[in-house]
Amino acid sequence: MNIQKRILLIEDDESMGFLLKDSLEGYNFHVTHLTDGLPALPLLKKQSFDLCLLDVMMPKIDGFSLASEIRSFNLDIPIIFLTAKSMKEDKIKGFKVGADDYVTKPFSIEELVLRIKAILKRGKITNLTNESINFDAYSLDITNLILHTQQESIQLTQKEADLLSLFVKNPNTLLRREYILKSIWKDDSYFLGRSLDVFISKLRKYFKETSSIKISNIHGTGYKFVILDSSL
């Protein structure tokens, strides 16, 4: 059974938003619709989504500015802009702020679905392993990006799964920030370092109920994934 992909749709036109939500759910996507971009930022920090659909022309905060804010703490989630603008300069601006695709209104729902599926499929290609790793009372399904606990199964993003896999394969070992960044992001710039800190915070939340696992910050050096009662 395929896991439903979660889409965050931000479209200020309520009629258009309702139509898109209803149509995408007909293709087995789980869609959360917001009519204002500002609530999207705290929502994306609390919940995991597989893709964002952003309208460009919105009150309070436009799509370009919102995408820039999202990219300041999440480099992983794909972003598709929905816009009536077709000027080359606007498309270039969209890609510069981190968009993965750009769909000009009016468009068919079939075209949008094909673009969404292409981007989600592209994201899966980076994970070619077919394995699960057991540690403490947890199991990390690398293929399907799922962290299994005794109480629940947590759907991870690609970057969350990659980072956790790196830690689990190197338990109780100091991993330097530069090594982590080059292993996961292929770059160790300051900007990406801030993103790493965000992902570390996300992983810590998944283990907040246990005292046997913690991610220690070695100041100025890196992180250590500590399993106090490790069978590895």
Side-chain angles (χ1 to χ4, degrees):
M1 181 178 180
N2 293 330
I3 298 174
Q4 257 189 332
K5 295 299 183 180
R6 294 172 55 83
I7 294 176
L8 179 60
L9 167 65
I10 306 168
E11 166 64 68
D12 66 309
D13 185 319
E14 292 191 15
S15 297
M16 172 66 77
F18 176 82
L19 177 62
L20 285 174
K21 183 177 188 297
D22 186 63
S23 299
L24 290 172
E25 287 180 341
Y27 283 87
N28 199 36
F29 293 107
H30 181 282
V31 182
T32 299
H33 175 218
L34 299 178
T35 56
D36 178 1
L38 291 178
L41 298 174
L43 184 62
L44 281 166
K45 292 178 180 179
K46 292 189 300 182
Q47 297 185 28
S48 176
F49 291 89
D50 297 289
L51 184 139
C52 273
L53 292 175
L54 304 185
D55 186 29
V56 170
M57 301 300 292
M58 295 187 294
K60 298 184 181 179
I61 181 170
D62 65 86
F64 296 137
S65 299
L66 179 58
S68 295
E69 291 287 338
I70 292 172
R71 284 291 179 247
S72 70
F73 63 88
N74 189 334
L75 294 175
D76 197 48
I77 188 168
I79 295 175
I80 297 179
F81 279 123
L82 307 176
T83 180
K85 292 187 174 184
S86 59
M87 292 179 61
K88 179 180 178 182
E89 292 78 9
D90 289 313
K91 291 186 177 181
I92 292 173
K93 184 177 181 181
F95 288 120
K96 280 185 175 180
V97 298
D100 293 84
D101 206 347
Y102 199 108
V103 182
T104 304
K105 301 175 182 177
F107 53 83
S108 69
I109 190 65
E110 290 82 5
E111 176 192 359
L112 178 60
V113 169
L114 286 174
R115 289 176 181 266
I116 290 172
K117 288 183 175 180
I119 288 176
L120 294 177
K121 183 178 180 181
R122 189 170 69 219
K124 288 181 181 178
I125 293 175
T126 60
N127 183 19
L128 299 177
T129 58
N130 182 17
E131 61 178 306
S132 293
I133 305 175
N134 298 318
F135 60 101
D136 198 62
Y138 297 84
S139 176
L140 173 60
D141 181 342
I142 296 176
T143 303
N144 296 302
L145 312 181
I146 299 175
L147 175 63
H148 296 286
T149 75
Q150 292 180 332
Q151 291 78 33
E152 61 179 334
S153 295
I154 303 169
Q155 182 68 58
L156 305 178
T157 66
Q158 184 69 59
K159 284 292 190 297
E160 287 175 334
D162 289 344
L163 181 57
L164 182 55
S165 175
L166 183 65
F167 279 139
V168 172
K169 291 178 179 178
N170 298 275
N172 306 316
T173 302
L174 172 60
L175 298 182
R176 295 183 176 274
R177 291 177 64 87
E178 295 82 2
Y179 173 76
I180 298 173
L181 288 168
K182 287 182 178 180
S183 296
I184 306 300
W185 282 270
K186 313 305 179 186
D187 191 355
D188 63 349
S189 68
Y190 171 80
F191 179 74
L192 291 175
R194 295 291 299 275
S195 181
L196 169 60
D197 295 335
V198 171
F199 278 95
I200 292 292
S201 296
K202 289 182 177 180
L203 292 186
R204 281 175 172 153
K205 291 179 181 178
Y206 298 147
F207 301 105
K208 64 182 180 180
E209 301 299 328
T210 180
S211 59
S212 61
I213 292 178
K214 65 177 181 177
I215 304 176
S216 298
N217 178 18
I218 312 303
H219 183 68
T221 305
Y223 293 96
K224 182 183 291 187
F225 189 77
V226 180
I227 303 179
L228 299 179
D229 185 21
S230 175
S231 59
L232 294 172

